[in-house]
Amino acid sequence: MSAPTMEERKACWGARDEFWQCLDRHAGDASKCEKLRLSFEARCPQQWVKYFDKRRDFLQYKRKLETEGYHPPEAAGKS
């Protein structure tokens, strides 16, 4: 498999950004962004899709930690 061209990379990133913006508008409800998800998957290599999905999850987790702080689970360390 050859590396994506500059145009293919830009198309992939654009599709990713549109999909993520849709998720942000709909509070993460992926069912309302199905067409954009399909476009994202069609324009990006599968490995990139997996990476970007994990990246979004991490960025959301990081944002939550920065705004709300860390709160350990109630049951942690209790037996």
Side-chain angles (χ1 to χ4, degrees):
M1 177 179 168
S2 63
T5 65
M6 184 185 304
E7 291 80 20
E8 291 169 334
R9 290 191 306 269
K10 285 181 180 181
C12 171
W13 296 331
R16 175 205 59 195
D17 292 346
E18 288 178 18
F19 175 58
W20 284 11
Q21 288 170 0
C22 179
L23 289 176
D24 290 341
R25 281 193 307 273
H26 297 289
D29 185 0
S31 66
K32 296 186 178 184
C33 305
E34 284 184 42
K35 289 182 182 178
L36 291 173
R37 174 68 189 198
L38 293 174
S39 174
F40 170 48
E41 290 177 353
R43 293 183 178 172
C44 298
Q46 183 180 11
Q47 195 64 30
W48 287 25
V49 172
K50 285 174 60 176
Y51 169 79
F52 288 140
D53 286 344
K54 289 179 184 180
R55 177 97 176 127
R56 178 173 169 80
D57 290 343
F58 169 75
L59 291 173
Q60 288 181 315
Y61 176 73
K62 180 180 171 187
R63 190 174 311 122
K64 182 178 178 183
L65 281 180
E66 289 172 344
T67 58
E68 299 174 19
Y70 174 70
H71 303 288
E74 293 290 326
K78 296 181 183 177
S79 33

